[in-house]
Amino acid sequence: MAALERYTALRPKDTSALGELASQYTALANIYSTEYSNAQAAAVSVAPPPFTPPSSSPLGRAFNSPNALQDPISAAVQSIATANLSTAAQKVQTTATKAEAAYRKLAALTPSDATLQIQLGQAAQTAGDSATALAAYRRFLKLAPTDPLAPQVKRVIKALAAQAAAQSSTHPSG
């Protein structure tokens, strides 16, 4: 992938190379997403049991104390699981952001390609860039309003818009 990155840096208008780069980043982000899901399952499986005695009881006080009832093996396994989860999440985020950047360049070169708009929207959504995802999905609908994917894209737009509205109401700017 490094060679393709260098090539597209030298030939930024080569849509074929940009498409290949974006596709490879997307595939890699999907692999990392699977790794993240596996790490998440592993972290849950090594989590302490849900049993928690009342904190007012002697056992509850000991259970909630950071120094009492500590199993060093469980703590080490939990620490490794948490680190793996964090690493996997970072890989997904970084790769999805690179895929988004490649699709963004490609979409700028071929702005009337509806398929690229969907790919940009999906990459942006995976990267957590809701504004870009919404813009790309809306552009797709303008370019291909009768496409078989249009109803699904409309649902995604509605969900992303609702999510953005909920976030703005819980985190007012200013």
Side-chain angles (χ1 to χ4, degrees):
M1 201 162 348
L4 197 51
E5 288 171 342
R6 277 181 263 154
Y7 179 80
T8 56
L10 294 172
R11 303 258 193 255
K13 294 185 179 187
D14 185 336
T15 57
S16 177
L18 276 171
E20 180 62 27
L21 182 62
S23 176
Q24 285 187 17
Y25 277 135
T26 299
L28 192 56
N30 288 336
I31 290 168
Y32 289 152
S33 183
T34 300
E35 285 181 15
Y36 176 78
S37 294
N38 293 341
Q40 197 171 31
V44 168
S45 71
V46 298
F51 166 75
T52 307
S55 60
S56 59
S57 71
L59 181 59
R61 284 190 295 276
F63 188 82
N64 290 314
S65 169
N67 299 322
L69 297 177
Q70 295 296 316
D71 176 8
I73 294 172
S74 293
V77 169
Q78 182 66 42
S79 176
I80 290 169
T82 301
N84 288 344
L85 183 62
S86 178
T87 300
Q90 183 60 41
K91 285 180 176 179
V92 171
Q93 181 66 38
T94 300
T95 308
T97 300
K98 288 180 179 182
E100 177 189 0
Y103 279 120
R104 191 186 298 251
K105 289 176 186 174
L106 197 52
L109 292 171
T110 54
S112 53
D113 186 334
T115 301
L116 279 176
Q117 295 301 322
I118 282 215
Q119 291 168 325
L120 172 57
Q122 290 170 333
Q125 193 174 353
T126 301
D129 184 353
S130 297
T132 298
L134 279 167
Y137 290 141
R138 288 178 177 139
R139 176 92 175 126
F140 166 79
L141 289 176
K142 285 182 182 178
L143 292 170
T146 60
D147 188 282
L149 292 175
Q152 181 181 350
V153 170
K154 287 177 184 175
R155 286 191 297 274
V156 171
I157 288 172
K158 192 174 186 177
L160 283 174
Q163 180 183 356
Q167 285 177 347
S168 67
S169 70
T170 58
H171 303 301
S173 59

